Amino acid sequence: MGSSVPSGSETLVVCKAEELPPGQVRKIDAERPIAVFNVDGVFYAIDDTCSHATASLSEGDLEGHTVECPWHVSRFDLRTGKPCSLPASRPVRTHAVEIRDDTVVVLVGTKPEWADAS
């Protein structure tokens, strides 16, 4: 189930960290929806809409640090937002994630430290 936030927000409170266990995803309904993934205890946030079509990436299959688009099987690296396979050729935005008082918080539009790696 998604969380709802006002459009234009720069800091989005997602949930308590314990409510998003490893291997799970949470969709944030905002002006531009965001998907927040827990990969082995590390949280990643990307724009939820595939850059190739309008599919929700939060509905895709998570494998390691990649998510597969449920419509056309493009894969995106959660760390960089870059597509790993066709038909997608444009990256999706990545957002920094912080844990504040055991709460997952997304910093919309702020690149995570690792976004330019790999």
Side-chain angles (χ1 to χ4, degrees), residues 13-75:
V13 174
V14 179
C15 63
K16 289 289 189 185
E18 64 194 29
E19 296 172 355
L20 186 55
Q24 298 296 309
V25 61
R26 174 86 46 114
K27 180 179 177 181
I28 305 303
D29 293 319
E31 186 175 331
R32 290 174 75 173
I34 294 173
V36 182
F37 299 84
N38 181 338
V39 178
D40 297 326
V42 179
F43 295 90
Y44 300 92
I46 61 172
D47 280 356
D48 185 51
T49 306
C50 177
S51 62
H52 169 255
T54 57
S56 172
L57 295 174
S58 63
E59 296 175 11
D61 291 327
L62 178 63
E63 185 176 317
H65 289 97
T66 65
V67 63
E68 182 177 84
C69 175
W71 286 8
H72 301 112
V73 299
S74 289
R75 295 196 75 79

Side-chain angles (χ1 to χ4, degrees), residues 46 65-67 75-84 94 118:
I46 61 172
H65 289 97
T66 65
V67 63
R75 295 196 75 79
F76 293 88
D77 189 311
L78 300 176
R79 298 166 292 191
T80 64
K82 294 178 182 176
C84 305
T94 57
S118 62

